[in-house]
Amino acid sequence: MDVTLHPKFADNLIAQETANAIEACVHCGFCLATCPTYLEARDERDSPRGRIYLIRDFLQTGESDSVAQHHIDRCLTCRSCESTCPSGVVYGDIVDGGRELLERSVQRPVASRFQRKLLRGVVSRPALFKKLLAVGRLFKGILPTTLKQQIPPTQKVLPASTNVDVGDKDTGRVLLLEGCVQRAATPNTNLALRHLLSYLNITVIESPAQGCCGALNTHLGAREEGLNDLRRNIDTWWPAIEEGVDAIISTATGCGTLLVDYGKLLAYDEQYASKAQQVSDLTTDVAAYFAGERMEAIPSLRPDKLPRLSVHTPCSQSHALGDPDTVKDLLRSRGYFLLSTEEDHLCCGSAGSYSILEPEMAQRLRERKLHALDAEHADVIVTANVGCQLHLAAGGDTPVRHWLELILETVPAHP
């Protein structure tokens, strides 16, 4: 698909990169069958191919409107289309670039601008988000239903972990991106990780100054703010990286997806390009980190009756990280029985801030996903991403938990 840039974009690097990515598209339409929003809306403009046409028209004419922006906003950035595309189109880069350019060119209503700015300013600041979450829980009973569903219940926090002497077993050091939402809404996820690592005498490097991974700003059309998130984290982590770490990990696959792109996103920054690429090279999905010898080295205690599980593989893990099976393999290795599920390739509707900005579509996708996951009435639904966990839990009665917590339940207590 040829793109002739409008003169206004002649010196715009984002426009040039977006145009280059579009040119790989042969408009075959294979993506339509795997796009959740197209399957729900049956509108070409709500498909990857349709959105590529909208962005291409904008790049060529230099003009767009709120209708085009609306359909591009409705993209989940789930990247299911990338797993299907026979031409290797990197659709995620196209839609992120298009959003950034449209944000500068199409004026949003005041309420929409305020909502997006509020989201970027609150959710990406864990301390502030935690305080506002506490207030929301306090007044949850009087909040509107749609807002009430966004407030998760308080977790009963696990005790802190302590390293134990495991002799000559594997040891090492990891940097943990603690995440913005995990710290406030699901603290047990990171605590479960620390417990499991303690059995291997692997040290978790604390980085109090770290912040948002950058995904929220990047996917909401505020790329420069997102790049500043990346630079801040690199500066925070660099002393530990120079001392030597085995990996940089995150318990949220959505954050992990952005971490592996640090090198690409800062490739043109002379000061940070090399460091950013080193961060990307060190980044390992937490499931991949445990797979194999590390999980085998963690003691296994099989309770009399383990819950029957349905596994939801987040889009970020399945499509962006390209690893749809490792979590399932790890759970099976610890004795869990996994129920069969349907439409595993389709998004649950969480997609970061999507469930807040596009609540109607997000709820429709959640209903479809819960039906596909719970056909055999699981005891627990398991996932690997905090956004999916909270979104799915708000829509049904079946408990939704992070897979690390389930693995921990097969481990004996420290002596």
Side-chain angles (χ1 to χ4, degrees):
M1 186 183 293
D2 293 332
V3 182
T4 303
L5 284 176
H6 188 274
K8 71 183 282 186
F9 296 125
D11 298 319
N12 190 307
L13 181 60
I14 295 174
Q16 293 168 4
E17 290 181 336
T18 304
N20 290 339
I22 287 174
E23 289 181 347
C25 177
V26 297
H27 44 87
C28 63
F30 280 108
C31 57
L32 274 65
T34 60
C35 176
T37 52
Y38 176 75
L39 294 175
E40 284 294 322
R42 296 293 174 178
D43 186 328
E44 175 79 12
R45 296 169 297 179
D46 283 321
S47 73
R49 182 175 67 179
R51 293 182 180 112
I52 287 175
Y53 271 111
L54 292 173
I55 295 170
R56 175 177 178 256
D57 288 347
F58 173 45
L59 292 176
Q60 295 197 136
T61 65
E63 297 180 357
S64 191
D65 57 27
S66 59
V67 175
Q69 189 173 53
H70 166 70
H71 289 288
I72 292 167
D73 284 346
R74 295 227 305 182
C75 173
L76 295 141
T77 324
C78 69
R79 296 168 66 174
S80 180
C81 54
E82 291 186 20
S83 297
T84 309
C85 180
S87 302
V89 175
V90 188
Y91 173 77
D93 290 353
I94 296 172
V95 76
D96 281 344
R99 282 172 171 159
E100 171 73 9
L101 296 169
L102 282 167
E103 205 68 27
R104 302 177 187 177
S105 303
V106 179
Q107 181 82 318
R108 293 184 182 274
V110 173
S112 177
R113 295 202 305 272
F114 176 76
Q115 183 186 35
R116 286 168 171 264
K117 189 172 183 178
L118 185 65
L119 273 173
R120 294 194 294 109
V122 171
V123 178
S124 62
R125 291 174 170 81
L128 177 58
F129 179 70
K130 186 174 183 178
K131 291 177 182 177
L132 292 179
L133 184 59
V135 173
R137 285 167 172 159
L138 184 63
F139 294 99
K140 188 173 181 178
I142 61 174
L143 293 176
T145 301
T146 54
L147 183 57
K148 187 186 300 184
Q149 289 182 341
Q150 301 292 336
I151 301 174
T154 304
Q155 282 192 340
K156 183 180 179 181
V157 180
L158 295 168
S161 63
T162 56
N163 282 25
V164 295
D165 183 6
V166 290
D168 60 355
K169 298 292 184 180
D170 189 18
T171 59
R173 287 156 45 91
V174 298
L175 272 168
L176 171 64
L177 176 70
E178 295 185 274
C180 302
V181 177
Q182 293 100 303
R183 281 188 255 181
T186 59
N188 282 343
T189 302
N190 286 336
L191 283 171
L193 172 65
R194 285 183 165 89
H195 274 284
L196 294 173
L197 290 174
S198 74
Y199 277 91
L200 304 173
N201 249 6
I202 293 174
T203 301
V204 177
I205 307 300
E206 303 287 347
S207 300
Q210 69 174 314
C212 179
C213 64
L216 188 62
N217 282 317
T218 300
H219 296 319
L220 287 181
R223 179 174 294 202
E224 193 53 45
E225 289 89 338
L227 295 180
N228 286 334
D229 290 334
L230 273 60
R231 295 181 183 108
R232 179 202 58 241
N233 285 338
I234 291 171
D235 288 340
T236 301
W237 293 333
W238 199 247
I241 291 174
E242 286 189 311
E243 289 180 11
V245 295
D246 301 319
I248 299 173
I249 57 178
S250 168
T251 58
T253 55
C255 298
T257 297
L258 205 285
L259 286 174
V260 299
D261 277 347
Y262 269 37
K264 180 173 68 175
L265 290 168
L266 287 172
Y268 298 100
D269 187 318
E270 293 182 3
Q271 182 179 352
Y272 283 90
S274 177
K275 293 180 178 179
Q277 187 56 53
Q278 193 163 342
V279 168
S280 292
D281 293 342
L282 283 168
T283 296
T284 304
D285 179 59
V286 66
Y289 185 78
F290 275 114
E293 293 181 0
R294 288 193 178 94
M295 186 57 68
E296 292 171 3
I298 298 174
S300 179
L301 174 68
R302 302 289 174 89
D304 293 338
K305 185 178 180 181
L306 291 171
R308 298 156 65 249
L309 308 181
S310 284
V311 178
H312 165 63
T313 305
C315 300
S316 46
Q317 188 166 42
S318 183
H319 305 303
L321 296 174
D323 187 14
D325 297 320
T326 301
V327 168
K328 295 177 183 178
D329 292 341
L330 288 172
L331 289 166
R332 288 192 186 101
S333 75
R334 307 299 286 194
Y336 285 103
F337 178 74
L338 309 188
L339 300 171
S340 61
T341 55
E342 302 172 354
E343 297 185 335
D344 290 349
H345 63 291
L346 294 183
C347 183
C348 69
S350 170
S353 60
Y354 190 92
S355 60
I356 298 173
L357 296 172
E358 301 289 340
E360 181 181 347
M361 179 63 77
Q363 288 172 22
R364 287 161 61 184
L365 294 173
R366 179 173 62 194
E367 289 173 7
R368 180 171 183 155
K369 175 56 70 173
L370 285 171
H371 177 75
L373 283 170
D374 212 13
E376 296 191 46
H377 307 292
D379 297 316
V380 179
I381 294 172
V382 186
T383 189
N385 188 57
V386 60
C388 305
Q389 179 180 351
L390 298 178
H391 184 59
L392 291 170
D397 297 325
T398 305
V400 185
R401 302 177 66 191
H402 196 283
W403 67 270
L404 284 165
E405 295 180 57
L406 273 295
I407 294 291
L408 185 62
E409 290 183 356
T410 68
V411 177
H414 283 328

